């Protein structure tokens, strides 16, 4: 049996070598990630050192009605092109895996997940983001309905929710059925709560503003304002809640 001191020393050496190997692997992965990001071209007006683009492709696409010619790495997704190259930061990066819907935009009127869509596949196509829905100073009806029905709280998922809702109503007008459609042989009519929830299930709101979202979509589809289920507190109500047992509340 080896002496106790030798065993302890060997154990320390083993632990140090294991830790060093783990740190080395982490560092190598980090450097590889940084190298991949470094290949992405900077914005045209950015004051930076020139970066050589690998696997460069030229893409001509219309963004919110404006023709744009982009030279991108062939691996660049639409989400990164919008945010990093065009400064259209309304489209949000949530899970970056196509599961939360925060990055939803419209391509030729159909909703897509921009985090999973290669920009190189959009040659000659029309992309509409949340910034392109409003016309001048006039909000899109879906945007106005979201405000009226308080259909957002933190607002992070809201751009994707609104773009998805616009695309979803277009699908309904085309007659596309959903998993909960009772009769697939009949034209799609007024969407009920279950239909909207199913068709919007790819867009997650972690704040839980779903009732307002459903109401806003139903209002836009129906073309008439719906009764609001909430209202701002009056000054009398605010004054009442500021006092409890004669003491000012925080």
């Amino acid at each position: 049996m080896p002496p106790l001191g030798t065993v302890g020393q060997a154990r320390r050496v083993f632990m140090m070598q294991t830790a060093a190997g783990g740190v080395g692997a982490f560092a190598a992965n980090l450097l590889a990630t940084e190298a991949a990001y470094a290949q992405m071209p900077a914005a045209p007006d950015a004051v930076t050192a020139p970066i050589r683009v690998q696997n460069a492709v030229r893409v001509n696409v219309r963004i919110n009605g404006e023709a744009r010619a982009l030279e991108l790495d062939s691996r660049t997704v639409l989400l990164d092109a919008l945010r990093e190259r065009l400064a259209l930061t309304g489209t949000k990066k949530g899970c970056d895996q196509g599961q939360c819907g925060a990055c939803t935009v419209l391509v030729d009127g159909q909703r897509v997940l921009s985090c999973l869509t290669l920009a190189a596949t959009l040659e000659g196509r029309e992309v509409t983001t949340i910034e392109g829905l409003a016309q001048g100073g006039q909000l899109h009806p879906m945007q106005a309905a979201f405000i009226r029905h308080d259909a957002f709280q933190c607002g992070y998922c809201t751009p994707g929710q609104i773009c998805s809702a616009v695309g979803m109503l277009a699908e309904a007008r085309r007659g596309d059925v959903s998993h909960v459609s009772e009769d697939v042989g009949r034209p799609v009519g007024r969407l009920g709560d279950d239909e909207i929830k199913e068709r919007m299930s790819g867009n997650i709101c972690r704040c839980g503003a779903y009732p307002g979202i459903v109401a806003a979509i139903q209002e836009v589809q129906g073309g008439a304002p719906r009764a609001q289920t909430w209202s701002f507190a009056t000054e009398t109500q605010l004054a009442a809640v500021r006092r409890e047992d004669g003491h000012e509340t925080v």
Side-chain angles (χ1 to χ4, degrees):
M1 179 175 179
L4 183 60
T6 303
V7 174
Q9 183 178 7
R11 181 177 180 278
R12 285 193 295 272
V13 172
F14 172 77
M15 295 296 291
M16 293 173 63
Q17 290 175 342
T18 302
V23 172
F26 173 78
N29 182 63
L30 181 61
L31 289 174
T33 302
E34 292 295 331
Y37 280 124
Q39 301 304 321
M40 294 183 63
D45 57 347
V47 182
T48 59
I51 299 176
R52 183 179 179 182
V53 180
Q54 295 183 355
N55 306 312
V57 294
R58 188 173 180 84
V59 182
N60 295 288
V61 59
R62 292 185 65 82
I63 309 290
N64 297 329
E66 180 181 355
R68 305 299 294 261
L70 302 174
E71 186 173 342
L72 302 165
D73 188 302
S74 60
R75 298 161 293 185
T76 302
V77 295
L78 175 59
L79 174 60
D80 290 334
L82 292 172
R83 291 181 59 85
E84 306 298 334
R85 291 298 304 274
L86 301 174
L88 295 173
T89 55
T91 305
K92 303 304 182 188
K93 179 177 287 192
C95 65
D96 208 23
Q97 298 179 13
Q99 297 182 8
C100 72
C103 68
T104 305
V105 298
L106 302 173
V107 176
D108 293 339
Q110 298 188 28
R111 49 182 174 168
V112 303
L113 298 169
S114 60
C115 74
L116 299 182
T117 303
L118 289 174
T121 66
L122 301 177
E123 176 69 27
R125 304 185 71 178
E126 176 79 34
V127 176
T128 304
T129 70
I130 189 67
E131 292 92 344
L133 289 180
Q135 298 297 322
Q138 185 69 32
L139 290 177
H140 187 279
M142 190 66 72
Q143 293 173 307
F146 264 61
I147 294 173
R148 280 194 298 272
H149 290 278
D150 198 26
F152 56 90
Q153 291 183 37
C154 79
Y156 193 84
C157 74
T158 305
Q161 296 274 4
I162 291 176
C163 287
S164 184
V166 171
M168 182 270 289
L169 288 184
E171 294 166 4
R173 287 194 295 271
R174 290 198 304 268
D176 295 354
V177 298
S178 77
H179 180 69
V180 299
S181 298
E182 294 183 359
D183 187 350
V184 298
R186 298 177 58 185
V188 177
R190 185 71 178 268
L191 299 179
D193 290 4
D194 290 341
E195 277 279 3
I196 292 176
K197 291 174 183 178
E198 169 63 25
R199 293 170 184 262
M200 292 289 293
S201 60
N203 291 81
I204 297 173
C205 174
R206 291 174 175 85
C207 297
Y210 298 115
I213 293 172
V214 171
I217 293 173
Q218 289 176 333
E219 175 178 303
V220 173
Q221 188 193 31
R226 288 192 50 178
Q228 294 180 353
T229 57
W230 63 276
S231 62
F232 292 108
T234 65
E235 289 298 327
T236 302
Q237 293 171 326
L238 290 174
V241 299
R242 291 193 184 107
R243 283 190 171 276
E244 292 180 0
D245 299 327
H247 300 286
E248 292 287 344
T249 60
V250 178

